[in-house]
Amino acid sequence: MIDFDPGTAAPTKGTDVRNGGDLVVETLEALGARTVFGIPGQHALGLFDAMGRGNLHFVSSRVENNSAFAADGYARATGEVGVLFLSTGPGALTSLAGLQEAYATGVPMVVIASQIPLEGLGARRKGMLHQLDDQKASAANVTKSQRLIQHASGIPSAIQDAWTEAISSPQGPVWLEIPQNVLLDPIMVPPVEDALAEAADNPPRVELVREAVKWLSTAERPAIIAGGGTRRGRAEKSLLSIAEKLRAPVICTPGGNGAFPWNHELSLQSWIEDRHMTELLEDADVLIVIGSSLGEVTSNYFTFEPRGRIIQIDAEPRVLESNRPGLGIRADAGQALAALDEALKSVVGPVETGPVETEPVEPRADWHGTSPEALVKETLAKVMARLESQDLGKELKFMADIRDAVPGGMQTFWDMTISAYWAWSCWDAREGQFHSAQGAGGLGFGFPAAIGGAVGLETIGTSAGSARVLAVSGDGSAMYSISELATAKQHNVPVTWLIVDDGGYGILREYMVGAFGKATATELARPDFVKLAEAFGIPATRVAPEDVGDALKAGFAAEGPNVVVVETLLRMFGPTHLEG
């Protein structure tokens, strides 16, 4: 029997006795986890000690919020579950802003936080280090569910259930917490040999699919908004098939960027914040909205006034009809679009009781005498003309130079910065994936999420060169995650970090000047980012805006992490929701 000193957080001798921490590690490995993000803490030492006996790869961040972003980025890049280990109290609470992004965006994560010993839980104030009245209640707004595990024998089942919930649509982070003594005490539970977690089925109701087909079979001006749920549901193939059957123009939200081929003749790309796009969508007689709430950005800041009927598909029931009435179909986007695509194959003309024929016919798409393909081309030309009228040549070239430099299959991670706001609308993801923090809109996402993404791509066997990712931040958002330069260096992560330094919170500066005629508290003192990166042993370079493409290409060809700094003031295109 191993000896314990009640006053310490770890066994005093021996390493051959298993504890609750071993059950955590064994269960995660049985579920397929390979990488964990986080920071050790006093109450979690039993968990980290057990990890040393297992095969999980641990990536130690420097701030828990960044650990959450990294686990998020890992999940987005790989399609696997992100796993996060947190310490009690301040460590757990520091992660919450990062978890809000994962929760808002629907990223599957299993979060395991330590807790004070069992005897300290409840309403009593025993004065234990890190003690909270109810730690898991703090996570209630940013996770799908929260659970306290009070006995080691319950650990495997609880983690298996959490994993299942995390991957079931709507996906998201799930919170578990385990007291210090439950992690440390010796156990009689045998080693975990297997664990099974399968996503719960979430198909559409058949009568709702039939009703949607009825609407679409008579539509002359169908259009589609593809939100983030389209990508999370892996519905891209069905989306393309439906769009081509209906000859329906498709626009992607920032979260849906990449769900539809950028240069397809029906693609409105991602110019969701443009009044020309708003007007086209308003004119649709049937609008299919997939994996989007028609929220602030998608509705062009709530100026969108559709005149036709809406079919809204979402796995989250609280999203359905939250902004506009319509035919709400609660279902996983992938399952719903596959069912809709299959049903549309047999539609001919008006439908009263369901599909009645077997031979498909050419859809009747007609936008007031204009073909949908011609309308898409014309609308994109109007968007470009509007941009060119605003003297945005520098910004357009800057974004084009970045796009030209980034390999077609590279994944990119964008912080809340002017470059990212441009990318929401203009970035062609090509064969890569576009990831941004627009779910919750917090600062600091880009670099740590990119670290997690690159680690994940290496974990699943992507070659070192192909595992490289790009992170894009402003100087303000960069300071939220600057400490993760140490993480990138320690783990030799293949990430290139582009920092666009405009001396302040650039977008807030624009908002305030636009609203009040002047900006207050938006200007920032900031470090020499090149010297700072070099202090961590990371190569860095400062270049002029016109040289950003060449600098990025050099960074992509290098090994390990590197930083590119561009000092420039970028402007946003004029907000069209304010135009009369």
Side-chain angles (χ1 to χ4, degrees):
M1 174 67 69
I2 196 167
D3 295 327
F4 279 87
D5 178 351
T8 67
T12 57
K13 63 180 180 180
T15 59
D16 57 346
V17 175
R18 296 170 58 255
N19 58 25
D22 287 285
L23 287 175
V24 174
V25 173
E26 291 165 3
T27 306
L28 289 172
E29 290 184 0
L31 288 165
R34 291 176 280 184
T35 302
V36 175
F37 299 87
I39 298 176
Q42 175 180 322
H43 297 128
L45 293 183
L47 177 58
F48 283 83
D49 176 58
M51 193 161 53
R53 294 186 286 277
N55 297 306
L56 293 175
H57 172 51
F58 182 67
V59 177
S60 178
S61 301
R62 298 304 184 267
V63 182
E64 286 85 357
N65 193 47
N66 295 331
S67 297
F69 283 142
D72 177 330
Y74 178 98
R76 296 195 201 201
T78 64
E80 297 184 352
V81 174
V83 182
L84 176 63
F85 285 175
L86 298 171
S87 59
T88 315
L93 297 182
T94 302
S95 74
L96 297 184
L99 291 177
Q100 185 187 2
E101 175 59 38
Y103 183 54
T105 306
V107 178
M109 291 171 56
V110 170
V111 183
I112 298 176
S114 61
Q115 251 292 12
I116 60 174
L118 277 167
E119 61 268 22
L121 297 177
R124 295 163 295 174
R125 291 290 186 94
K126 296 178 73 71
M128 291 183 171
L129 188 70
H130 303 331
Q131 184 174 11
L132 292 167
D133 291 344
D134 186 353
Q135 178 175 276
K136 67 183 187 307
S138 300
N141 275 326
V142 294
T143 55
K144 288 184 69 175
S145 68
Q146 312 80 39
R147 179 175 174 182
L148 170 68
I149 303 173
Q150 300 190 52
H151 305 284
S153 60
I155 289 175
S157 295
I159 294 177
Q160 181 174 276
D161 291 347
W163 195 284
T164 299
E165 185 175 3
I167 63 176
S168 297
S169 60
Q171 296 180 342
V174 178
W175 180 282
L176 298 174
E177 53 188 48
I178 310 175
Q180 178 186 30
N181 50 328
V182 176
L183 288 170
L184 282 171
D185 288 349
I187 58 173
M188 61 182 71
V189 183
V192 178
E193 295 183 10
D194 60 69
L196 177 64
E198 295 184 351
D201 205 28
N202 194 359
R205 298 186 62 85
V206 65
E207 71 274 13
L208 296 177
V209 173
R210 185 179 296 119
E211 185 68 13
V213 169
K214 186 188 300 184
W215 290 14
L216 292 168
S217 68
T218 60
E220 293 186 350
R221 299 185 305 281
I224 300 172
I225 295 176
T230 316
R231 292 173 59 195
R232 291 189 294 276
R234 296 175 174 83
E236 293 90 344
K237 184 177 179 180
S238 295
L239 172 63
L240 177 60
S241 178
I242 290 170
E244 290 180 340
K245 281 186 178 70
L246 298 173
R247 293 176 64 206
V250 178
I251 192 166
C252 294
T253 71
N257 187 308
F260 194 75
W262 188 261
N263 291 316
H264 192 282
E265 62 182 353
L266 291 169
S267 176
L268 294 167
Q269 301 175 356
S270 292
W271 295 98
I272 199 78
E273 294 184 63
D274 186 277
R275 63 181 171 84
H276 299 300
M277 297 295 178
T278 304
E279 290 167 359
L280 186 155
L281 296 171
E282 287 175 336
D283 191 37
D285 56 1
V286 178
L287 180 65
I288 308 175
V289 181
I290 310 153
S292 171
S293 65
L294 288 179
E296 188 171 12
V297 174
T298 304
S299 65
N300 205 354
Y301 301 91
F302 299 115
T303 62
F304 177 48
E305 295 290 344
R307 297 185 291 276
R309 295 186 288 184
I310 295 174
I311 299 169
Q312 188 174 18
I313 300 169
D314 208 287
E316 170 56 76
R318 293 175 296 178
V319 165
L320 297 175
E321 300 189 76
S322 60
N323 282 305
R324 290 285 170 181
L327 179 66
I329 302 177
R330 192 227 62 176
D332 172 76
Q335 290 182 273
L337 291 194
L340 185 58
D341 185 33
E342 182 65 27
L344 283 169
K345 289 180 180 178
S346 59
V347 173
V348 178
V351 178
E352 297 299 331
T353 60
V356 295
E357 300 287 342
T358 58
E359 292 298 323
V361 298
E362 186 72 12
R364 63 179 72 200
D366 181 352
W367 292 71
H368 311 292
T370 301
S371 72
E373 296 81 5
L375 180 69
V376 166
K377 186 176 181 179
E378 175 186 316
T379 306
L380 289 173
K382 288 180 179 178
V383 172
M384 188 53 60
R386 186 177 73 83
L387 295 174
E388 291 174 348
S389 71
Q390 296 181 17
D391 190 24
L392 295 168
K394 181 175 78 169
E395 288 76 6
L396 289 167
K397 184 178 185 305
F398 186 75
M399 297 304 298
D401 287 347
I402 297 174
R403 177 60 277 181
D404 288 344
V406 174
M410 180 175 286
Q411 300 200 29
T412 58
F413 296 79
W414 301 74
D415 224 314
M416 298 296 286
T417 183
I418 287 180
S419 299
Y421 289 10
W422 270 97
W424 287 1
S425 295
C426 75
W427 188 260
D428 174 5
R430 297 182 184 171
E431 299 80 37
Q433 291 190 52
F434 174 85
H435 309 288
S436 79
Q438 53 81 220
L443 290 173
F445 167 85
F447 186 50
I451 289 174
V455 168
L457 292 173
E458 288 188 316
T459 300
I460 64 175
T462 307
S463 65
S466 299
R468 179 167 294 278
V469 301
L470 171 67
V472 181
S473 302
D475 56 292
S477 58
M479 291 303 294
Y480 275 70
S481 48
I482 199 72
S483 61
E484 302 312 320
L485 286 168
T487 302
K489 177 63 177 178
Q490 179 175 337
H491 298 280
N492 197 38
V493 181
V495 56
T496 296
W497 191 11
L498 172 61
I499 301 174
V500 184
D501 183 355
D502 66 4
Y505 296 123
I507 193 66
L508 298 179
R509 180 193 293 133
E510 283 210 10
Y511 288 163
M512 293 191 74
V513 170
F516 311 116
K518 64 176 182 178
T520 303
T522 59
E523 307 314 298
L524 299 172
R526 69 273 193 206
D528 184 323
F529 287 106
V530 170
K531 290 182 179 178
L532 185 56
E534 291 174 344
F536 283 93
I538 294 177
T541 183
R542 181 183 290 103
V543 298
E546 57 269 22
D547 297 322
V548 66
D550 290 339
L552 288 176
K553 289 176 183 177
F556 298 153
E559 295 184 359
N562 52 73
V563 175
V564 175
V565 180
V566 177
E567 294 183 0
T568 188
L569 178 64
L570 300 177
R571 295 167 47 230
M572 273 303 295
F573 50 81
T576 64
H577 63 283
L578 300 180
E579 296 179 6

